[in-house]
Amino acid sequence: FSGPFTDVVTTNLKLRNPSDRKVCFKVKTTAPRRYCVRPNSGIIDPGSSVIVSVMLQPFDYDPNEKSKHKFMVQTTYAPPNISDMEAVWKEAKPDELMDSKLRCVFEMPNENDKLNDIDASKPTPVLNTAKQDGPMPKSHSVSLNDTETRKLVEECKRLQAEIMKLTDENRHLRDEGLRLRKVAHSDKSGSPTALALRDNGSNSLPSLLVVIAAIFIGFFLGKFIL
């Protein structure tokens, strides 16, 4: 049996009757769960032959494990009036039985054979006989992708510049807010002007943070697209 053994592997066994009488045959194996034999019994006419298919079921092959599976082909001359095959084998005497024993051999294909099979399965390349001068032009889809890529890079650069600008403005506003809070704390009279300035400074910070968060989200989406 030739591997790989990931699928059913079939080997044919040819039985020939060289005598001038009909012969009954029966095929036995030491591993009946691993093999499917068709036909596993029958009658061979004088001078005729029969093909027996032995199908090995898929299994995990281990090259270090020696095969102990064996087959035995048992034969006997058929009686003149045969009606029941089972009765023939039950009534046959030991000295009337003949048998041939076979040992199973598992072989994996060589690496060279694998390479040859792969090369044979590859389609033959078709050469373009038309002569082309100069480099091949880029396809429309490639140039379109390049254009989109440049636009995205420029957009990211613009967003980075805006982020830096807004960061500086945020720092300036934060310093201004701290200064206004100090003025508000130092102003014990609690004048309306100080309270208005403090409210304006505190309200400007959340709006600025929302703008910065939106720019960051756009920046990261640009990164993922690239």
Side-chain angles (χ1 to χ4, degrees), residues 143-159:
S143 61
L144 182 61
N145 291 334
D146 292 341
T147 303
E148 292 179 354
T149 302
R150 285 195 297 270
K151 289 181 179 179
L152 289 174
V153 171
E154 292 175 357
E155 183 67 17
C156 288
K157 290 181 179 179
R158 187 181 65 80
L159 290 175

Side-chain angles (χ1 to χ4, degrees), residues 144-189:
L144 182 61
N145 291 334
D146 292 341
T147 303
E148 292 179 354
T149 302
R150 285 195 297 270
K151 289 181 179 179
L152 289 174
V153 171
E154 292 175 357
E155 183 67 17
C156 288
K157 290 181 179 179
R158 187 181 65 80
L159 290 175
Q160 290 177 352
E162 290 184 2
I163 288 173
M164 294 178 65
K165 181 179 178 181
L166 290 173
T167 302
D168 294 337
E169 292 180 358
N170 185 34
R171 187 183 302 109
H172 176 72
L173 289 174
R174 187 172 63 249
D175 295 339
E176 186 67 19
L178 291 174
R179 187 181 66 79
L180 291 174
R181 281 197 292 271
K182 290 180 180 179
V183 171
H185 284 297
S186 61
D187 190 1
K188 296 180 180 180
S189 62

Side-chain angles (χ1 to χ4, degrees), residues 99-118:
D99 59 69
S100 298
K101 295 180 180 179
L102 304 172
R103 183 174 62 88
C104 296
V105 178
F106 300 147
E107 293 181 351
M108 291 295 289
N110 296 327
E111 294 297 329
N112 293 333
D113 297 338
K114 292 182 181 179
L115 294 176
N116 293 334
D117 293 340
I118 294 174

